[in-house]
Amino acid sequence: VGNEATLGSISAGQLEAFVRYMRHERSVPCSLKSLARRLTTLRVFFAWLTEEGIVPTDPAASLPRQRVTTPLPQPLSDDEGDQLCASTEEWRRDADKPDARPHLLVTLLLNTGIKKGECIRMTLADIDTTDPANANVRIRYEGVRQRHKERTLRLPVQFPAVLTEYLAQYRPQSELFECSARNLEYVLDACTKRAGLPARRLSFETLRWTCAVQDFKSGMDEDELRRKLGLSRVSWADTLQKLRELTAPPL
């Protein structure tokens, strides 16, 4: 379109040409999933411009709705979740070699739904256990463009006690988990085996989705859940659809 173009001059044909370029003419073609996100963004953006009277008509109204079918995530069932927590609690209290880290990690992920990167960046200073009954963690981002993902999340009531044990055992100085993300994945693999779950059943993503499904089923306000997961409104649309499918009663 060119730098000299104004929003009001953009036509439906130009947007359709842009979509063709993204899908077929770029040196690295856009994936269907990425294309679907871009189409959604264009539709939402131009619908807002039209609603606000910034442009007279909506040039994105005729854009195709690119539906991408991806496999649904596989959150833990209630029984699997109970089995997992019981096994890590038992590990925490092992008579020969107690280890609080697996239970700390699993309960943190199941209750907050944070991402792997957010977990590995978490510092001790981000956690506030001043009032054990209302302990919380602050999820922080350095980049200005990601500040909307920052949020404060409640921690389970038992978390401060488990944290105290973990600190005494591992003595971290700054980050909560002073190891690589891969090492934490090994911890999840060990939890899988100890709980008697199928191999590779646990991952950061699985526990994130398990948390989201639990909160959704409990009736948490949808916008509150979106903010808890640190999602934009555009990303939330896809997540919400998956949550509805995951929690729909069987036919």
Side-chain angles (χ1 to χ4, degrees), residues 135-150:
N136 63 75
V137 60
R138 180 69 180 171
I139 306 301
R140 303 180 188 277
Y141 279 82
E142 292 183 4
V144 175
R145 294 180 61 183
Q146 295 179 309
R147 289 286 168 80
H148 69 280
K149 296 182 180 180
E150 292 195 345

Side-chain angles (χ1 to χ4, degrees), residues 226-239:
R226 177 187 68 80
R227 293 194 301 270
K228 177 177 179 177
L229 296 174
L231 296 175
S232 68
R233 295 187 185 281
V234 172
S235 299
W236 173 244
D238 180 59
T239 299

Side-chain angles (χ1 to χ4, degrees), residues 21 31 65 78 104 112 116 142 165 169 176 231 245:
Y21 165 76
S31 70
R65 294 190 173 273
D78 291 343
L104 186 82
T112 63
K116 177 165 59 178
E142 292 183 4
E165 296 172 18
Q169 292 169 358
L176 177 61
L231 296 175
E245 292 180 39

Side-chain angles (χ1 to χ4, degrees), residues 27-185:
S27 56
V28 180
C30 189
S31 70
L32 288 177
K33 189 171 183 180
S34 294
L35 181 62
R37 285 198 298 266
R38 284 165 171 76
L39 286 170
T40 298
T41 300
L42 286 172
R43 282 195 295 270
V44 171
F45 179 58
F46 279 100
W48 175 77
L49 290 176
T50 306
E51 183 179 327
E52 294 295 317
I54 299 172
V55 297
T57 58
D58 183 355
S62 61
L63 288 178
R65 294 190 173 273
Q66 188 77 37
R67 177 65 177 172
V68 179
T69 302
T70 56
L72 285 175
Q74 295 183 314
L76 299 179
S77 67
D78 291 343
D79 287 343
E80 286 177 319
D82 292 342
Q83 191 174 338
L84 172 64
C85 291
S87 67
T88 56
E89 175 67 24
E90 182 181 344
W91 198 348
R92 171 193 172 197
R93 301 183 183 280
D94 187 279
D96 297 323
K97 192 175 181 181
D99 190 347
R101 183 171 68 171
H103 195 62
L104 186 82
L105 176 62
V106 164
T107 54
L108 173 67
L109 299 178
L110 281 176
N111 283 274
T112 63
I114 57 175
K115 297 179 179 179
K116 177 165 59 178
E118 294 171 337
C119 180
I120 202 66
R121 289 195 303 270
M122 188 179 296
T123 69
L124 297 175
D126 294 331
I127 302 170
D128 182 3
T129 58
T130 307
D131 179 2
N134 294 287
N136 63 75
V137 60
R138 180 69 180 171
I139 306 301
R140 303 180 188 277
Y141 279 82
E142 292 183 4
V144 175
R145 294 180 61 183
Q146 295 179 309
R147 289 286 168 80
H148 69 280
K149 296 182 180 180
E150 292 195 345
R151 58 215 190 268
T152 299
L153 303 174
R154 288 284 301 273
L155 293 168
V157 174
Q158 72 272 24
F159 190 88
V162 183
L163 176 63
T164 298
E165 296 172 18
Y166 166 76
L167 295 177
Q169 292 169 358
Y170 285 85
R171 301 187 180 280
Q173 300 300 306
S174 178
E175 287 79 19
L176 177 61
F177 299 109
E178 294 189 332
C179 61
S180 68
R182 187 63 188 138
N183 283 341
L184 291 185
E185 289 170 345

